[in-house]
Amino acid sequence: MADKSQPDFSSGAAWMRGQIIPISEAMLPVTDWGLTRSDITYDVVHVWKGSFFRLDDYLDRFEKSVASLRLEIPQSRNDIKKILHEMVAKSELKDAYVSMVASRGTPSVPGTRDPRLCSNHFYAWAVPFVWVIPPDIAKRGAYVKISETSKRISPSSVDPTVKNYHWGDMTRALFEALDDGFDTAVLLDEQGLITEGPGFNIFAIVDGKLLTPKDGMLEGITRKTVMEIGEEMGLAPIACDIPEQVFLSADEVFTATTAGGPVSVTRVNERILGNDAPGSLTKQIIHTYWDWHKRAELNEPVDYQK
């Protein structure tokens, strides 16, 4: 019988204001600009079989995002790493989705429009591993619709290389795709070039070359890993402009995300790829990606005994 006097971390844990608490107790003030203005940045790393995968790469990107938004948090890089390790250890999760967040915070003067008057702060949370594309869908290959109703927010307005919560365009595209019987969506920019989808980067194999968009999207760590795998496979990975028609004519297509790794796409709009089954090169990339989780130099084991 569960001990009700002890905190319940079965659904995950959070670090807020110097304490590790159950995820159900984590909350923000309603006046926090992270909530009211989406004035916030975050990053997500995963823990797989008890180890963080490429944690330093995620910390590098998080630090750049924090600096880009002119946020100032008291925690150092080493502080953040320690917090993430201790939080996951406390949760006892062996496979986890772990978020680190820097928010503009609550203004010291109610109603002010001056971001300098907000108290920036850091928090983090971890929950059981998240799959952007559920495993049963990933097994048969995702069905993706190129959105007709929603274009990706311009990089001149919201920098997509700074991980953010500006999802108005993504949510609109998701509704369109789901209403039309697809699993998820991919968005074009105003020039008709492929950018990314809700929570994932996109890849296309065209004439034996591995292509991924070069602009208008998050520079994903899983994207980086896939490009390194592509180099090893001799696929000549290229970050470049991908017009919609080139994407539609690809031999194979797949997504790439921290929350689930590479996932095959077997339908784009009305086009069926590879006889409606994951392609051979995509399957090799997926296998290699998870195999890299055994590489000591890419993984940091969590000490669950502390």
Side-chain angles (χ1 to χ4, degrees):
M1 187 173 178
D3 183 354
K4 294 184 178 180
S5 67
Q6 297 298 315
D8 180 8
F9 292 101
S10 60
S11 297
W15 184 97
M16 301 192 87
R17 294 176 285 278
Q19 293 186 323
I20 297 174
I21 57 177
I23 191 73
S24 60
E25 297 178 14
M27 58 190 69
L28 290 175
V30 295
T31 54
D32 192 305
W33 275 26
L35 175 65
T36 64
R37 303 283 189 271
S38 198
D39 194 352
I40 197 166
T41 190
Y42 73 108
D43 223 301
V44 174
V45 59
H46 72 230
V47 170
W48 189 252
K49 298 188 183 304
S51 292
F52 282 98
F53 184 65
R54 304 197 78 151
L55 178 55
D56 281 316
D57 290 306
Y58 287 95
L59 288 168
D60 287 343
R61 187 174 63 182
F62 182 61
E63 288 180 334
K64 289 178 182 177
S65 295
V66 170
S68 178
L69 292 187
R70 296 177 61 179
L71 292 163
E72 295 182 3
I73 56 176
Q75 288 76 17
S76 68
R77 181 189 183 98
N78 286 338
D79 290 338
I80 293 172
K81 183 177 283 194
K82 182 181 179 184
I83 287 167
L84 298 183
H85 271 273
E86 291 181 350
M87 182 179 63
V88 173
K90 189 75 171 180
S91 75
E92 298 184 346
L93 294 170
K94 300 302 189 292
D95 302 318
Y97 177 93
V98 184
S99 182
M100 58 194 99
V101 189
S103 175
R104 187 70 61 195
T106 301
S108 58
V109 178
T112 184
R113 297 300 188 263
D114 188 342
R116 297 170 300 178
L117 298 180
C118 293
S119 299
N120 306 166
H121 63 105
F122 171 84
Y123 62 95
W125 50 274
V127 294
F129 193 85
V130 170
W131 301 87
V132 165
I133 297 175
D136 57 331
I137 293 175
K139 185 176 180 180
R140 56 106 156 126
Y143 300 164
V144 171
K145 181 170 185 181
I146 300 173
S147 179
E148 298 173 2
T149 63
S150 184
K151 293 290 190 293
R152 191 71 177 99
I153 295 173
S154 170
S156 64
S157 297
V158 176
D159 184 354
T161 67
V162 174
K163 203 164 174 68
N164 61 74
Y165 292 148
H166 295 272
W167 263 49
D169 53 351
M170 298 286 195
T171 301
R172 185 178 181 187
L174 272 172
F175 271 118
E176 176 191 350
L178 295 170
D179 288 346
D180 289 346
F182 293 85
D183 301 311
T184 190
V186 168
L187 283 75
L188 301 171
D189 65 13
E190 293 294 343
Q191 287 71 50
L193 302 174
I194 297 292
T195 60
E196 61 185 342
F200 59 82
N201 289 118
I202 198 81
F203 283 85
I205 298 175
V206 179
D207 297 329
K209 294 181 179 180
L210 182 61
L211 309 182
T212 193
K214 69 179 181 67
D215 294 310
M217 78 296 145
L218 182 72
E219 295 173 353
I221 306 304
T222 306
R223 172 181 179 267
K224 174 182 178 179
T225 305
V226 167
M227 294 182 80
E228 292 171 354
I229 291 169
E231 288 278 5
E232 284 195 0
M233 291 174 59
L235 291 175
I238 304 169
C240 61
D241 291 337
I242 305 178
E244 181 178 8
Q245 289 307 312
V246 171
F247 185 71
L248 285 168
S249 66
D251 301 309
E252 298 181 34
V253 171
F254 61 92
T255 64
T257 172
T258 297
V263 171
S264 177
V265 172
T266 52
R267 298 186 185 185
V268 179
N269 292 357
E270 302 307 318
R271 181 167 181 250
I272 297 175
L273 289 77
N275 296 317
D276 218 9
S280 59
L281 291 174
T282 299
K283 288 194 289 186
Q284 187 177 345
I285 289 168
I286 293 170
H287 174 80
T288 303
Y289 172 79
W290 290 108
D291 195 53
W292 278 25
H293 284 65
K294 301 172 186 175
R295 290 190 174 187
E297 71 274 16
L298 297 178
N299 291 275
E300 279 192 31
V302 176
D303 184 357
Y304 293 92
Q305 302 307 313
K306 286 185 178 180

